[in-house]
Amino acid sequence: MNHDQHAVSRRWFLQQCGVGLGSIALSQLLGSRTLAGPVSDPFASRPAHFPGKAKSVIFLFMGGGPSQIELFDNKPDLAKFSGTLPPAELLKGYRAAFIDPNSTLLGPKFQFSRHGECGAELSELLPHLSSVADDITIVRSMVTDAFNHAPGQLLMSTGNQQFGRPSLGAWIVYGLGSESRDLPAFVVFSSGQKGPSGGNSNWGSGFLPTVYQGIQFRGGPEPVMFLDNPPGIDRSLQQDSIETIAALNGERLLEMGDPEIATRTRAFETAFRMQASAPELMDLTQETQATLDLYGAEPGKSSFANNCLLARRLVERGVRFVELFHESWDQHGGLTNGLKNNCKNTDQAAAALIKDLKQRGLLDETLVIWGGEFGRTPMVQGGDDGRDHHPNAFSMWFAGGGMKPGLTLGATDPLGFNAVEDRVHVRDLHATILHLLGLDHERLTYKFQGLDMKLTGVEPAHIVEKLLA
């Protein structure tokens, strides 16, 4: 058989038999999700495994490791024994990132008081969050396996300390699709002093098709570069071009069976629609002055406050997962002033997000998550005004999306060193988040290198039933 005969026979087989690589590729876009079966649009809204409480997620990722001891986990005994060495038995087998574990204890730098009908105990640094104490769920007993930033952020974001795994947002979009046709299903913002230590892998797609990765929006009036057409290209001509490219890509997909071709086609189509939708989305002047004041937002500027308001606008428009990174919580020294500045920049907007979602009837179906990759040590670093990384105990809070409001779950020992009651590992948190969205973490899988991979990996992971409303 000559080359031309081989090509004709192969083309006939792929196009006429109905079992070609093109069909296989489309099936792979959904892997072994075992729900509604394969679809040609990887972002098509799909049914969950079971009815979930949440439809979308806003993750306020406080990169660097916020100090739970100054914010959420009041420790009078730590203040009492400040300046003394911790008990030797407490440090057995303990590894710290930088300090000698035998460093002296450091008492809390700020005062705590109780708030709301639930009596949640919160720091004086969080006056705005304190005003919504009855709407949030606090977990004081989070634990993780990592004690350095990049591995810790990757574990929180992807369920694994190594690069190359799909992020939480990517898994959720893979499982549920999106309810927005004009915007990406997974949007990322970044504020603070620098970007996340784990880099783009925090919102990557890993071994999932790249169509599921997060799309980073920039602050200011131009969220995505090149939204405007070049001179001489009008919208009609651009649409004709995209339709022609999509048709050519469709033929190539049928021939080659590469799901990344479908990703490229979707990217062109989304970019075209975003030329109309993104400028309207980013125009915060459409909001009332009362709403802008609630968040502390200023149209046209880049800030955590603006990003929180944009997150609300995104979930209103059907975006499935929005992640806001604020990387400035790594206080090895300068703890007192650093925390004051961090809370000044984030507390008002985070609380405003809860209030705004609630008054618009969106909080019940939107899960808001606040937290970092780990906590800080009860021991001192940086003279008398800093703390090292600490994986054994840290705090996070949640609102809406089926979480039990007004609950404070878990406890640490009197010095805040270990979580000792209702420990919640990062894997347990992931399983619980998926559950709230109607996804079974054991069934949400993707075939990769012969294995049925999942967000929670092979280690045991449990839904934290006490957190559920």
Side-chain angles (χ1 to χ4, degrees):
M1 180 181 292
N2 62 34
H3 176 76
D4 291 338
Q5 289 175 320
H6 175 75
V8 170
S9 299
R10 180 173 178 271
R11 189 173 298 115
W12 175 88
F13 176 78
L14 291 172
Q15 293 178 349
Q16 302 299 323
C17 292
V19 293
L21 293 176
S23 299
I24 295 172
L26 293 178
S27 297
Q28 280 298 308
L29 288 174
L30 287 184
S32 54
R33 184 177 176 276
T34 68
L35 293 182
V39 295
S40 58
D41 182 359
F43 281 173
S45 183
R46 295 185 285 278
H49 293 121
F50 50 84
K53 296 289 184 69
K55 292 183 179 179
S56 55
V57 177
I58 300 174
F59 195 155
L60 310 178
F61 199 121
M62 302 293 109
S67 175
Q68 74 284 359
I69 292 170
E70 270 70 37
L71 299 176
F72 302 104
D73 196 8
N74 188 23
K75 291 298 170 188
D77 279 5
L78 187 60
K80 179 180 177 181
F81 293 105
S82 184
T84 67
L85 289 173
E89 62 271 15
L90 203 61
L91 302 176
K92 187 177 181 179
Y94 176 72
R95 293 178 65 194
F98 298 108
I99 63 171
D100 179 350
N102 290 309
S103 297
T104 58
L105 298 171
L106 177 67
K109 295 287 186 175
F110 299 97
Q111 299 298 312
F112 282 72
S113 56
R114 297 193 177 274
H115 299 273
E117 294 183 7
C118 64
E121 198 170 17
L122 294 168
S123 168
E124 62 181 300
L125 290 177
L126 302 170
H128 296 281
L129 187 67
S130 298
S131 70
V132 292
D134 290 327
D135 294 311
I136 65 172
T137 306
I138 301 170
V139 178
R140 290 177 172 169
S141 51
M142 290 296 307
V143 296
T144 184
D145 298 332
F147 55 83
N148 280 316
H149 293 296
Q153 291 181 6
L154 290 175
L155 183 58
M156 181 62 72
S157 294
T158 73
N160 196 285
Q161 296 185 51
Q162 298 178 334
F163 292 97
R165 298 299 181 96
S167 60
L168 173 63
W171 275 112
I172 289 172
V173 175
Y174 160 70
L176 296 176
S178 178
E179 295 183 348
S180 174
R181 300 294 303 167
D182 300 325
L183 292 164
F186 178 8
V187 174
V188 180
F189 295 93
S190 183
S191 59
Q193 298 173 348
K194 66 185 185 71
S197 300
N200 293 6
S201 293
N202 281 292
W203 55 84
S205 59
F207 46 71
L208 293 177
T210 54
V211 69
Y212 296 116
Q213 70 185 355
I215 304 300
Q216 189 170 10
F217 277 23
R218 305 187 307 166
E222 189 179 19
V224 181
M225 297 181 69
F226 310 118
L227 282 177
D228 295 329
N229 287 329
I233 304 295
D234 60 22
R235 192 160 180 82
S236 177
L237 177 58
Q238 186 189 18
Q239 183 171 3
D240 291 341
S241 300
I242 288 175
E243 289 175 353
T244 301
I245 292 171
L248 293 171
N249 278 338
E251 293 184 9
R252 188 66 172 170
L253 174 64
L254 184 65
E255 180 179 359
M256 301 301 297
D258 183 357
E260 293 304 306
I261 297 174
T263 295
R264 190 179 308 124
T265 300
R266 175 73 188 198
F268 281 127
E269 294 171 349
T270 301
F272 177 69
R273 290 193 291 269
M274 281 177 60
Q275 285 186 306
S277 62
E280 183 274 335
L281 164 75
M282 301 294 288
D283 184 9
L284 297 185
T285 62
Q286 298 179 14
E287 298 288 340
T288 66
Q289 188 61 47
T291 299
L292 295 174
D293 291 343
L294 178 68
Y295 284 87
E298 298 180 71
K301 294 189 177 181
S302 179
S303 68
F304 180 78
N306 281 20
N307 293 347
C308 282
L309 180 49
L310 289 168
R312 188 269 289 166
R313 291 171 66 86
L314 284 163
V315 299
E316 267 185 326
R317 290 158 173 76
V319 173
R320 185 72 68 186
F321 197 97
V322 186
E323 193 153 24
L324 278 59
F325 283 91
H326 191 78
E327 176 86 14
S328 58
W329 297 85
D330 191 23
Q331 276 89 35
H332 294 275
L335 177 71
T336 303
N337 287 333
L339 285 177
K340 285 180 179 178
N341 289 331
N342 290 341
C343 293
K344 179 182 177 181
N345 292 333
T346 62
D347 178 47
Q348 178 180 346
L353 178 61
I354 298 171
K355 295 175 182 177
D356 199 13
L357 289 169
K358 187 175 182 179
Q359 70 183 10
R360 293 171 185 270
L362 294 171
L363 186 58
D364 287 344
E365 62 186 39
T366 305
L367 175 62
V368 181
I369 305 169
W370 186 102
E373 61 267 33
F374 41 58
R376 314 303 295 194
T377 56
M379 296 87 77
V380 69
Q381 186 183 12
D384 64 349
D385 196 31
R387 300 186 188 276
D388 198 4
H389 310 165
H390 192 59
N392 292 23
F394 63 106
S395 299
M396 298 180 69
W397 64 256
F398 311 85
M403 284 285 190
K404 186 178 294 184
L407 171 70
T408 296
L409 181 74
T412 57
D413 62 50
L415 298 178
F417 194 90
N418 290 314
V420 295
E421 180 182 312
D422 291 316
R423 295 172 79 254
V424 178
H425 192 276
V426 172
R427 287 185 294 271
D428 302 324
L429 175 61
H430 287 164
T432 305
I433 291 170
L434 294 181
H435 177 84
L436 290 169
L437 289 155
L439 295 169
D440 184 340
H441 73 100
E442 296 283 2
R443 295 168 58 193
L444 184 65
T445 62
Y446 187 87
K447 184 75 73 175
F448 177 66
Q449 295 182 344
L451 299 174
D452 289 328
M453 306 294 284
K454 36 179 203 176
L455 170 64
T456 50
V458 298
E459 299 285 341
H462 308 283
I463 297 166
V464 187
E465 299 285 350
K466 292 182 178 180
L467 291 176
L468 307 181

